[in-house]
Amino acid sequence: MLSLRASLSLVLAAFAWLGAMMAHAGVTAWVPLEIRDGKVLFPVEVGGVSGHAVFDTGSQGNSVSSALVERAGLALAGRRFSITGIGSKDEIVSSVSSLPIKLFGIDFKLQEVPALPHDEALIIGAGFLKASVLQLDYPNSRMRLITHDSVDLSKVANVPMRLEAGSGLPAVQVTIDGKDRWMLLDTGNTGPIVMRRLVASESNWIERFKRAGAAVVDINANVSSMDLLVLPSIVIGPFELADVPVMIPAVGEGINISGVRGAGAVKATRIQKGVRISGIIGYEVLRHFVATIDYDRQKFHIAAPPEEPEKPAQAAVPPDESAKE
């Protein structure tokens, strides 16, 4: 369980880091992203070791790679955490009590960071994003952060956003098969939409749409068997996407759709207000858009990337007069 003290230290660290980043402006420069197998990565230095980090709005807390902890010679002297991944299996892990980070050229420390067996050097959870607005330009592989007083998303937000009951993580409204559903907004989800099997069964998706086997690996390296469906379309904000892949748990497979998971997951009884989610959306949907997320004020905007200006038509080359007889 993530304590109030740990949550507060996370937010204070974010504000201190953001203040250093934006001492003279309300927006950071665009930072290049590396998109690898659906993972949206950016450079970070953890304990003096260079690697890649991920902003994960589907996780309640931060986590550091256990392999990097060993490579950097960091001590697992912090308190122990119970971690829940999408595979719905809890793991008890140790943590680094004070983790030195260098992000976008700024040095700071994160407190009580669990060590987990993921490939990324660092996963930064949703709590860190309370300090700013996150803008991810997926098509152009770049990101930036904006201060709250520099942008008012309430004037332009085009996708309804609420917090999930239980976790307090961001959920957005998506129209799937003609019905509005609340979905966890998970920038750390690298694959297709994930839905509860009950939702698919009640809507007769399994009979109506083609499917093939699939598997998913969660933050604890647990593997879950999934069925893969292809839905004709979904609608998010003003956009409609066609032939959208959707994964549902295979028969008898337990899976944790709720946002009460990840590093520092809190119990559902802690946060009662909010919406009940039907599934998770991530990279497969977001990759088409410039996504702007104000987690603290529950505002979300998506836009198609600006089209590249057309190249001027090339002038016709006159025939070579010397080639004429």
Side-chain angles (χ1 to χ4, degrees):
M1 182 181 296
L2 184 63
S3 69
L4 179 61
R5 181 177 180 181
S7 300
L8 182 60
S9 67
L10 180 66
V11 174
L12 291 176
F15 274 104
W17 171 80
L18 188 67
M21 279 293 295
M22 301 181 176
H24 304 291
V27 59
T28 67
W30 285 107
V31 176
L33 297 172
E34 178 182 346
I35 298 179
R36 186 191 309 158
D37 298 327
K39 294 179 180 180
V40 182
L41 308 169
F42 53 93
V44 68
E45 190 174 296
V46 181
V49 178
S50 297
H52 288 92
V54 174
F55 276 127
D56 185 359
T57 58
S59 176
Q60 290 172 300
N62 308 313
S63 61
V64 63
S65 162
S66 51
L68 184 143
V69 168
E70 183 176 351
R71 190 160 66 250
L74 299 170
L76 292 173
R79 63 192 186 88
R80 295 172 68 79
F81 285 81
S82 176
I83 306 298
T84 306
I86 198 171
S88 195
K89 298 176 182 177
D90 291 348
E91 302 284 345
I92 304 298
V93 301
S94 299
S95 68
V96 179
S97 58
S98 183
L99 184 67
I101 306 292
K102 188 172 186 177
L103 183 61
F104 305 156
I106 304 299
D107 291 298
F108 63 104
K109 291 185 177 181
L110 291 175
Q111 307 301 316
E112 305 288 356
V113 182
L116 297 174
H118 49 67
D119 295 332
E120 301 77 30
L122 183 69
I123 291 179
I124 300 176
F128 193 89
L129 299 176
K130 282 183 173 291
S132 62
V133 176
L134 172 65
Q135 190 167 57
L136 292 166
D137 182 349
Y138 283 87
N140 292 305
S141 301
R142 59 183 186 169
M143 62 158 282
R144 62 181 177 178
L145 296 170
I146 308 169
T147 58
H148 285 113
D149 58 1
S150 297
V151 62
D152 184 2
L153 271 191
S154 63
K155 297 179 179 179
V156 295
N158 56 5
V159 181
M161 179 175 169
R162 300 289 185 272
L163 299 183
E164 186 208 6
S167 71
L169 291 176
V172 295
Q173 193 175 73
V174 181
T175 304
I176 303 178
D177 196 28
K179 185 174 181 179
D180 292 340
R181 298 187 182 277
W182 289 102
M183 307 287 289
L184 183 71
L185 179 63
D186 187 354
T187 57
N189 176 22
T190 61
I193 293 173
V194 181
M195 299 287 292
R196 300 181 190 275
R197 188 174 184 88
L198 179 61
V199 171
S201 299
E202 291 177 345
S203 304
N204 296 319
W205 290 354
I206 300 168
E207 294 75 19
R208 292 164 54 202
F209 306 126
K210 60 182 179 182
R211 59 175 177 164
V216 62
V217 180
D218 71 8
I219 196 170
N220 292 328
N222 297 313
V223 179
S224 301
S225 297
M226 309 285 282
D227 289 330
L228 180 64
L229 310 176
V230 179
L231 272 61
S233 69
I234 70 165
V235 176
I236 178 169
F239 300 96
E240 183 173 9
L241 303 178
D243 298 325
V244 181
V246 174
M247 292 196 301
I248 61 172
V251 175
E253 188 73 50
I255 192 167
N256 180 30
I257 296 295
S258 169
V260 186
R261 57 190 174 88
V266 300
K267 299 298 182 182
T269 54
R270 291 288 302 279
I271 305 171
Q272 297 292 347
K273 295 182 179 180
V275 298
R276 184 176 184 273
I277 62 170
S278 297
I280 302 169
I281 64 167
Y283 178 75
E284 182 60 36
V285 172
L286 299 176
R287 66 187 177 91
H288 303 283
F289 304 112
V290 179
T292 308
I293 307 166
D294 188 338
Y295 171 45
D296 189 50
R297 297 175 181 173
Q298 301 169 44
K299 302 297 179 184
F300 184 49
H301 178 269
I302 58 173
E307 295 183 3
E308 294 184 1
E310 294 184 6
K311 295 181 180 179
Q314 189 173 21
V317 179
D320 186 352
E321 295 292 335
S322 64
K324 293 184 178 179
E325 295 182 356

